[in-house]
Amino acid sequence: MRRGSGGWGGKGFRQGARSRLNLLPEQHADFFVTPLGEEFGFVGVVLLMLIYTGILTRSFQIATQAQTSYGRLLAGA
């Protein structure tokens, strides 16, 4: 088995062998990024990181505009 089998575009949805055949040694710790990377490739993982970055950026924007300290803590946490 070679590393980086997802490549740039991945193998396709539900076509990854690592998650389907239980080949992940620590499946509970790898969570979902490993199968996502294999099935959707580098592009899918970068898209996921962009979504996370967008959520964090928006959360910090809301936190800086909050009127109360409770609102700042709630949005920033």
Side-chain angles (χ1 to χ4, degrees), residues 35-65:
L36 182 105
E38 186 176 21
E39 293 175 5
F40 296 104
F42 180 74
V43 175
V45 173
V46 168
L47 183 63
L48 176 71
M49 294 300 138
L50 287 174
I51 290 170
Y52 279 153
T53 303
I55 291 171
L56 284 173
T57 302
R58 183 65 182 140
S59 175
F60 287 132
Q61 287 175 350
I62 292 170
T64 58
Q65 296 172 359

